[in-house]
């Protein structure tokens, strides 16, 4: 199992899609850093012209948190796409190319093969997601100078990144499950559509919470149960911006905060969702005639 996991990581690192994603990620980080630098410079000059005060402080906190939210939102999107594209071909690709025949001739149980694929992909994607999370935080807090800086405690960051990396865990588990029964194209289409539907359901839930419409909130909750991706991201913003009981931090979060806050039970459900998907992957591949 560990050998397959190690080979999966080596194979993934040498794939063109991973190399392209890394290059585009570096370009994205460079552009984000440039944007944050000039936003910090312009903001500092504006503060210098208008002086200090509560209104200026609130405006600085709002703009700064919004720009950080944009960076983390796009980072979540990049990580999700990479997790989906890499996992939906993990089993089906081996079957289509008949490389699975070579693996199954060896004294390796099918469950070890599936677990090795999942562990390798999940480890790589979780490391990628955590690196991207801290890269965005460092760029925002460092290049943005004092004007862009937000006051984060170490525990806040640890909680936020711990939830942030659950997203690739769930997506890889779901992608591997689909890959045991479907072609790469079909599995990819289903995963991407569910990913989009989860975020639309999340926005509907937040909108319903703002206008106090229980039916809209319930739609979002049901979508979170079907595919708990949006709730993971919104729980991360709650930990990062501390929006659960602080009206000021809720205002800072803006469009990236959560009026309808996902509970800790939902995060536990997301982890259980991923674990059950892995178990079903093993069951499905054991029953498949290849």
């Amino acid at each position: 199992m560990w050998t397959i996991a190690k080979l999966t990581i080596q194979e993934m690192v040498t794939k063109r899609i991973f190399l392209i994603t890394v290059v585009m990620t570096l370009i994205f980080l460079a552009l984000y850093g440039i944007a944050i630098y000039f936003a910090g410079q312009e903001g500092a000059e504006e503060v210098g012209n208008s002086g200090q005060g509560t209104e200026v402080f609130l405006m600085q906190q709002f703009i700064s948190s919004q720009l950080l939210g944009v960076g983390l939102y796009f980072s979540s999107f990049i990580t999700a796409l990479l997790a989906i594209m890499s996992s939906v071909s993990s089993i089906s690709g081996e079957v289509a190319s008949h490389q699975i025949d070579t693996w199954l001739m060896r004294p390796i149980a099918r469950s070890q093969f599936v677990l090795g694929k999942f562990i390798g992909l999940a480890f790589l994607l979780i490391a990628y997601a955590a690196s991207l999370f801290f890269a965005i935080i460092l760029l925002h807090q460092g290049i943005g100078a004092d004007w862009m800086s937000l006051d984060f405690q170490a525990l806040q960051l640890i909680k936020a990144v711990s939830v942030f990396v659950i997203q690739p865990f769930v997506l890889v588990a779901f992608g591997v499950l689909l890959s045991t029964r479907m072609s790469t194209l079909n599995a990819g289409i289903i995963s991407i559509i569910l990913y989009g539907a989860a975020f639309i359901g999340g926005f509907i839930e937040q909108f319903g919470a703002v206008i106090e419409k229980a039916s809209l909130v319930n739609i979002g909750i049901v979508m979170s149960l079907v595919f708990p991706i949006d709730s993971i991201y919104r729980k991360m913003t709650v930990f990062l911006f501390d929006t659960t009981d602080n009206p000021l931090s809720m205002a800072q979060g803006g469009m990236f905060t959560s009026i309808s806050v996902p509970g800790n039970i939902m995060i536990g459900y997301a982890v259980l969702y991923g674990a059950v998907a892995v178990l079903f992957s093993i069951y499905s591949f054991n029953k498949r005639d290849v």
Side-chain angles (χ1 to χ4, degrees), residues 38-59:
F38 283 106
Q41 294 295 318
E42 294 291 333
E45 290 179 7
E46 191 68 24
V47 169
N49 295 332
S50 59
Q52 298 288 343
T54 303
E55 185 177 345
V56 173
F57 172 74
L58 291 176
M59 181 62 68

Side-chain angles (χ1 to χ4, degrees), residues 26 46 137:
L26 293 176
E46 191 68 24
I137 295 292

Side-chain angles (χ1 to χ4, degrees), residues 181-250:
R181 284 290 169 179
M182 299 180 181
S183 67
T184 301
L185 181 60
N186 291 340
I189 290 173
I190 291 174
S191 295
I192 290 174
I193 289 177
L194 280 177
Y195 175 79
F199 271 96
I200 291 173
F203 278 114
I204 291 175
E205 181 182 349
Q206 301 309 311
F207 181 69
V210 171
I211 64 174
E212 298 182 347
K213 293 290 184 183
S215 59
L216 298 181
V217 174
N218 291 336
I219 289 174
I221 293 174
V222 169
M223 196 60 233
S224 295
L225 294 174
V226 174
F227 207 54
I229 295 301
D230 182 73
S231 57
I232 296 172
Y233 178 81
R234 294 197 179 277
K235 188 65 177 181
M236 183 276 292
T237 65
V238 170
F239 282 135
L240 190 62
F241 298 118
D242 192 23
T243 57
T244 52
D245 55 2
N246 187 344
L248 177 61
S249 61
M250 183 176 292

Side-chain angles (χ1 to χ4, degrees), residues 92-164:
S92 60
E94 301 279 357
V95 174
S97 64
H98 296 287
Q99 290 183 354
I100 192 70
D101 300 337
T102 306
W103 283 110
L104 295 183
M105 290 175 63
R106 302 180 179 182
I108 300 174
R110 290 192 179 193
S111 59
Q112 291 179 319
F113 181 78
V114 175
L115 279 176
K117 285 284 184 181
F118 168 74
I119 291 173
L121 289 173
F123 176 81
L124 188 63
L125 268 297
I126 287 174
Y128 174 82
S131 302
L132 194 51
F133 176 89
F134 283 114
I136 290 294
I137 295 292
L138 288 175
L139 284 173
H140 187 273
Q141 299 291 85
I143 294 179
D146 293 338
W147 196 84
M148 295 297 294
S149 180
L150 294 169
D151 185 20
F152 291 131
Q153 303 296 321
L155 186 58
Q156 266 182 283
L157 296 176
I158 292 172
K159 286 182 177 179
V161 74
S162 299
V163 175
F164 190 73

Side-chain angles (χ1 to χ4, degrees), residues 24-45:
M24 295 308 296
T25 300
L26 293 176
I27 294 174
F28 160 63
L29 290 175
L31 292 175
Y32 181 77
I34 292 171
I36 290 297
Y37 173 77
F38 283 106
Q41 294 295 318
E42 294 291 333
E45 290 179 7

Side-chain angles (χ1 to χ4, degrees), residues 18 20 42 62 80-81 86 90 94 120 161 169 181 235 243:
F18 185 79
I20 291 175
E42 294 291 333
F62 178 77
L81 282 185
S86 59
S90 57
E94 301 279 357
V161 74
F169 169 80
R181 284 290 169 179
K235 188 65 177 181
T243 57

